[in-house]
Amino acid sequence: MSMSSNRPHDGDPLAPHRGRLLGLAYRMLGSRSDAEDIVQDAYLRFAGAEGVQNPEAFLVTVVTRLCLDRLKSAKAQREVYVGPWLPEPVCDAEGLSPDAATELADDLSFALLLALDRLSPMQRAAFLLHDVFDTPFAEVAAMLDRSEASCRQLATRARRAVRDNRPAPAATPDSHARLLTAFSDAVASGNVRQLAELLRADAVALTDGGGRKFAALNPIIGADKVARFFIGLAGKTAGHHVHIEPAIINGAVGALLYLDGELDLTLSMAIDGERIAAIYVVRNPDKLRHLPSASRH
């Protein structure tokens, strides 16, 4: 049977699979732009294939294997990356849904993505396919060309590592928004103590400038140091027009900061109870290209 008989002739024949495939590739790579490239490549391979009985399984397998190949080159690039690496922020998390009822299906947080980034590529693939995308281990084994027992072991190790590296369960959206507002007000006031009180004692800030924009070259750890860093960063914007636009970043309340009308950074947080556990700032222009680049205000 030829591929053409598997798909309708009008509209986008692969639209039903797009969110799942993009969601898998983004979680594997931490890059929306790379995920788009991978999915496009998978579509081209799908279009040229013959006798595909299950288009979705074919596409998921191709995307997974292309991501594993991409991670090999990414490892070398990461070794020379300037400062902390953070995923590309996304403002359309709902468009990257696995369409599954798993515990982590809706979690696109930086905390989870950074936990995934610490796994081996094969662990990441087995964990995502099974625990996030609800793929049976028999199918995972076929996709990864491993035994089912091996895939179970990979996923188990990954699950343990993810649990150890993720913070407490996410705060409610209202609590998240309230803390973000309080954080912005404290930064604007220049009051280090007021800002530090919003942070967990061992809070960490990660700033990703990629060597292109000013950012801390190492994680900033401790409430007082984090507070002083952000107040110092705010001081560097004196004389510029600053506009902060609330945004849903990776599924949680965050902010886009525009400097003189141009997008300068995204800011998102991990919340633990009523305190901020981690702050993630992305300034690398290469990672912001897919977001609204100019302020509407």
Side-chain angles (χ1 to χ4, degrees):
M1 178 173 60
S2 71
M3 197 70 259
S4 59
S5 63
N6 277 316
R7 44 188 181 162
H9 297 286
D10 56 340
D12 180 357
L14 300 173
H17 312 302
R18 190 179 298 277
R20 185 177 179 88
L21 297 172
L22 277 174
L24 173 60
Y26 175 71
R27 287 168 175 84
M28 282 287 290
L29 303 173
S31 167
R32 177 59 186 265
S33 53
D34 285 350
E36 295 273 6
D37 291 345
I38 290 286
V39 171
Q40 183 61 32
D41 194 353
Y43 284 174
L44 293 174
R45 297 186 185 208
F46 175 82
E50 295 288 338
V52 175
Q53 301 298 317
N54 185 333
E56 183 176 16
F58 176 91
L59 287 162
V60 170
T61 300
V62 171
V63 165
T64 301
R65 292 178 179 176
L66 288 173
C67 286
L68 289 170
D69 288 342
R70 184 70 64 97
L71 285 170
K72 293 176 184 175
S73 59
K75 181 180 179 182
Q77 294 168 5
R78 195 72 60 80
E79 289 173 355
V80 295
Y81 196 82
V82 179
W85 175 92
L86 289 174
E88 284 184 13
V90 294
C91 293
D92 62 339
E94 67 282 355
L96 302 172
S97 170
D99 193 27
T102 59
E103 176 191 354
L104 299 174
D106 296 325
D107 191 345
L108 263 187
S109 66
F110 274 26
L112 175 60
L113 292 171
L114 288 171
L116 292 174
D117 192 58
R118 297 185 182 99
L119 305 176
S120 74
M122 292 298 286
Q123 286 176 339
R124 195 180 318 183
F127 174 79
L128 285 172
L129 288 168
H130 181 265
D131 284 43
V132 179
F133 288 80
D134 205 21
T135 306
F137 274 120
E139 294 179 27
V140 175
M143 291 172 179
L144 299 183
D145 197 23
R146 294 282 187 98
S147 70
E148 192 171 335
S150 172
C151 290
R152 287 180 182 277
Q153 189 175 55
L154 286 166
T156 297
R157 289 174 178 170
R159 196 176 301 126
R160 189 179 304 124
V162 166
R163 285 174 179 163
D164 289 345
N165 283 293
R166 287 176 74 216
T172 65
D174 286 347
S175 177
H176 207 118
R178 188 169 60 251
L179 270 173
L180 180 63
T181 299
F183 174 86
S184 299
D185 291 345
V187 170
S189 75
N191 189 322
V192 172
R193 184 172 181 179
Q194 179 185 346
L195 182 54
E197 287 176 352
L198 300 172
L199 303 167
R200 212 168 65 178
D202 61 348
V204 59
L206 298 172
T207 60
D208 181 345
R212 306 274 308 279
K213 287 279 192 78
F214 170 79
L217 295 179
N218 295 293
I220 305 161
I221 301 171
D224 186 69
K225 289 181 179 179
V226 170
R228 291 182 185 280
F229 173 81
F230 280 99
I231 287 174
L233 190 63
K236 296 180 183 297
T237 65
H240 296 273
H241 173 68
V242 177
H243 171 67
I244 299 175
E245 195 167 302
I248 301 300
I249 298 175
N250 286 66
V253 178
L256 307 176
L257 186 146
Y258 293 87
L259 202 58
D260 297 329
E262 297 299 320
L263 181 60
D264 184 69
L265 60 83
T266 65
L267 185 145
S268 52
M269 299 174 170
I271 309 298
D272 182 2
E274 291 299 315
R275 291 284 185 274
I276 298 167
I279 303 173
Y280 311 103
V281 173
V282 179
R283 298 194 75 199
N284 184 343
D286 292 339
K287 297 185 177 183
L288 303 178
R289 286 181 300 189
H290 61 289
L291 299 176
S293 60
S295 170
R296 292 168 291 182
H297 299 269

